[in-house]
């Protein structure tokens, strides 16, 4: 399991809802937390590890010692958004790139946990920003898509660099061609498997 970087088609894939909660899903979630911590992140969406499913993990402390701050959001839906605020964001799939993004100041999100229980959370500040960022991932949207034209222009050279690096790794056989990746993603949509196509 690895975090895929910008240029990989899975980051533009619209995720499919989770149909059932299995031991396999639980082990993938645990591995995602470990991967997120090792990358010093606060959130990680399933498509960032090559899985086309609608879920993500969050721990805004980025600290495995604070396991009580670990949250899993299965099939999340943001029900309400209120206010507007700008803040700096980065992304584990765009390492080293940061920019200010306008987001709702407060949100209400509904999701399911690993017990299959539905829950609702009222969030603001960093948790609200992280959850909005990760929910975007599930729709194939990246934080750079939300930048104003001037900000987007500033980060464009870095995005081209990420794209170029991915194509180079693809040409060396580290990743299959885009068509094959998409075929694997469609296949994965028929059932959760621990092995991802990355």
């Amino acid at each position: 399991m690895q975090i895929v970087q910008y240029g990989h088609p899975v980051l533009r894939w619209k995720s499919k809802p989770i149909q059932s909660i299995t031991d396999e899903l639980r082990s993938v979630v645990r591995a995602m937390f470990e991967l997120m911590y090792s990358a010093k992140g606060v959130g990680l969406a399933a498509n960032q590890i090559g899985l086309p499913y609608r879920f993500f993990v969050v721990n805004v402390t980025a600290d495995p010692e604070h396991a009580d701050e670990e949250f899993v959001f299965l099939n999340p839906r943001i029900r309400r958004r209120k206010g507007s605020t700008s803040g700096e964001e980065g992304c584990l799939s765009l390492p080293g790139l940061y920019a200010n993004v306008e987001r709702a100041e407060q949100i209400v999100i509904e999701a399911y946990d690993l017990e299959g229980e539905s829950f609702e959370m009222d969030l603001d500040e960093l948790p609200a920003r992280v959850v909005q960022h990760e929910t975007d991932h599930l729709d194939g949207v990246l934080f750079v898509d939300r930048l104003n034209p001037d900000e987007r222009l500033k980060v464009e050279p870095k995005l081209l660099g990420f794209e170029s690096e991915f194509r180079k790794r693809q040409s060396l056989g580290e990743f299959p061609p885009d068509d094959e990746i998409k075929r694997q993603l469609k296949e994965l949509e028929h059932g959760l498997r621990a092995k991802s196509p990355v």
Side-chain angles (χ1 to χ4, degrees):
M1 188 184 285
Q2 62 177 300
I3 297 171
V4 299
Q5 293 193 2
Y6 185 86
H8 196 295
V10 73
L11 294 175
R12 295 301 189 184
W13 200 264
K14 191 166 171 60
S15 302
K16 294 290 186 287
I18 288 287
Q19 300 298 322
S20 60
I21 296 167
T22 62
D23 287 342
E24 195 170 11
L25 174 61
R26 290 187 181 91
S27 68
V28 168
V29 163
R30 190 67 254 152
M32 283 174 68
F33 273 117
E34 300 309 319
L35 195 57
M36 183 186 83
Y37 292 136
S38 67
K40 308 281 191 268
V42 293
L44 189 64
N47 58 346
Q48 288 182 276
I49 59 155
L51 292 173
Y53 306 115
R54 201 162 184 82
F55 73 95
F56 58 81
V57 302
V58 168
N59 182 341
V60 293
T61 71
D63 185 351
E65 296 295 314
H66 289 90
D68 57 320
E69 293 294 324
E70 290 184 354
F71 292 97
V72 181
F73 295 81
L74 305 180
N75 301 340
R77 285 176 59 204
I78 295 176
R79 296 302 300 262
R80 288 193 295 280
R81 301 174 196 258
K82 184 179 175 186
S84 181
T85 182
S86 182
E88 188 178 73
E89 292 187 25
C91 180
L92 297 179
S93 293
L94 294 150
L97 195 157
Y98 300 92
N100 285 322
V101 182
E102 200 78 24
R103 298 273 187 196
E105 195 170 7
Q106 297 173 298
I107 63 166
V108 175
I109 186 163
E110 284 182 350
Y112 291 88
D113 62 21
L114 281 176
E115 304 308 313
E117 298 293 325
S118 65
F119 65 92
E120 185 177 282
M121 295 176 84
D122 292 275
L123 302 173
D124 59 12
E125 299 182 344
L126 181 61
R129 181 167 295 278
V130 172
V131 162
Q132 288 175 85
H133 178 112
E134 300 306 331
T135 303
D136 269 358
H137 268 303
L138 303 182
D139 293 322
V141 176
L142 299 170
F143 82 93
V144 291
D145 301 333
R146 296 196 175 273
L147 302 182
N148 66 46
D150 289 344
E151 286 290 318
R152 177 67 188 224
L153 206 56
K154 285 183 200 169
V155 303
E156 200 62 37
K158 280 198 171 184
L159 296 179
L160 291 171
F162 284 124
E163 181 85 35
S164 173
E165 176 62 22
F166 177 73
R167 296 303 168 199
K168 180 182 168 189
R169 293 175 70 185
Q170 213 171 26
S171 71
L172 293 171
E174 287 185 50
F175 297 97
D178 284 6
D179 286 349
E180 175 60 16
I181 290 172
K182 290 172 183 175
R183 187 195 66 75
Q184 290 179 8
L185 288 168
K186 283 178 182 169
E187 197 176 297
L188 281 164
E189 285 176 349
H190 297 293
L192 182 64
R193 301 176 191 175
K195 183 170 171 53
S196 70
V198 299

